[in-house]
Amino acid sequence: MGEELHPILSGLIPLVDGIASTFGKNCEVILHDIRNPQSSVIAIANGHITGRRIGSPMTEYGLTTLRSGQFDKPMVNYKKKTKDGKLLKSSSLFIKDENGKLIGFLCINYDISELTIARNIINDLTNIVDDRDFIEDRDECYGSTINEMLSSIVNKTLESVGKPAAFITKEEKVNIVQLLDEKGVFLIKGAIDYVAKVLCVSRYTVYNYLDETRVND
């Protein structure tokens, strides 16, 4: 370089390798001296990401930013794409001297190409049908035997009433039987007798409740 580096820029050179070492090989860090746009790069780490090296010129984006004269706020987490297709998450920090005059850029380009592919795979794997007419969000009932499954479903339905079976009214019992019917409980052999026992009614009463709730089906 024909001109001596500003002390502030010189002091930031070790920061370039420090940031890159912290975030790994996919993180390119570049320090620009804006006095020489045609050869502005004075320090770089992981230059393989954009193919640049010390002495490389400022990018078109950098030149546009420099021309705009808007340096009040850093530009953080914007997207860029390299000519070979890498997707970059980029940030540009403005470096000023003690008088507030711009003297350089510290730029970070993180190659998120692999992460984007991984995110898309995860999104596909975790995609859930969001049709409330088809399925609703709920805590699932599990059991290692059919009896455990039956007990789990019935107990969970009773918990929704919020009181012991002895204090449940007839209307609430009818509603419980209807809910259990909608959940397919009575497709399980022996479910009628089990529900009758839990609700403290006869099996014939459960049949009557079913007839009552199915009359409009």
Side-chain angles (χ1 to χ4, degrees):
M1 307 291 290
E3 301 176 78
E4 185 177 349
L5 286 179
H6 193 288
I8 292 178
L9 292 179
S10 295
L12 290 175
I13 289 177
L15 190 63
V16 172
D17 284 329
I19 294 173
S21 296
T22 299
F23 293 101
K25 64 181 179 63
N26 288 331
C27 181
E28 179 187 66
V29 185
I30 304 172
L31 184 62
H32 292 275
D33 182 345
I34 66 165
R35 294 176 304 174
N36 302 288
Q38 71 280 0
S39 182
S40 64
V41 178
I42 57 174
I44 186 169
N46 292 328
H48 62 275
I49 291 176
T50 60
R52 286 178 290 177
R53 59 184 183 276
I54 291 177
S56 290
M58 192 172 290
T59 63
E60 179 182 356
Y61 189 84
L63 290 171
T64 301
T65 302
L66 190 60
R67 178 67 179 82
S68 72
Q70 300 298 317
F71 312 121
D72 294 333
K73 295 181 180 180
M75 296 181 294
V76 178
N77 295 337
Y78 57 91
K79 184 172 70 173
K80 291 198 298 185
K81 194 172 184 178
T82 66
K83 61 182 180 181
D84 59 352
K86 295 187 185 77
L87 186 61
L88 306 180
K89 177 181 177 181
S90 302
S91 294
S92 295
L93 310 179
F94 304 129
I95 304 165
K96 300 179 182 180
D97 65 14
E98 59 276 5
N99 298 314
K101 179 182 177 181
L102 185 74
I103 58 174
F105 294 160
L106 178 65
C107 299
I108 300 172
N109 299 308
Y110 198 95
D111 184 358
I112 60 172
S113 306
E114 295 174 350
L115 294 175
T116 301
I117 294 172
R119 180 187 64 186
N120 292 337
I121 293 173
I122 292 172
N123 285 342
D124 285 341
L125 290 173
T126 59
N127 182 49
I128 297 175
V129 176
D130 193 22
D131 184 347
R132 299 303 175 179
D133 292 331
F134 175 69
I135 189 169
E136 60 182 22
D137 292 335
R138 59 177 181 263
D139 294 330
E140 187 61 283
C141 294
Y142 297 96
S144 59
T145 67
I146 193 63
N147 288 335
E148 287 182 2
M149 175 72 77
L150 175 60
S151 175
S152 179
I153 296 173
V154 172
N155 289 338
K156 183 178 177 183
T157 305
L158 285 174
E159 287 174 2
S160 66
V161 178
K163 51 183 166 180
F167 296 94
I168 297 175
T169 65
K170 179 198 171 185
E171 290 74 16
E172 289 170 335
K173 290 179 181 179
V174 172
N175 185 54
I176 288 171
V177 169
Q178 183 177 14
L179 289 174
L180 293 174
D181 191 26
E182 291 172 354
K183 294 178 180 180
V185 163
F186 298 110
L187 297 175
I188 301 173
K189 184 178 180 180
I192 292 286
D193 291 331
Y194 181 79
V195 171
K197 181 179 179 182
V198 171
L199 293 181
C200 302
V201 297
S202 69
R203 65 194 312 268
Y204 301 104
T205 300
V206 175
Y207 279 121
N208 288 334
Y209 290 166
L210 284 172
D211 289 340
E212 185 177 337
T213 59
R214 290 174 176 175
V215 68
N216 294 321
D217 287 357

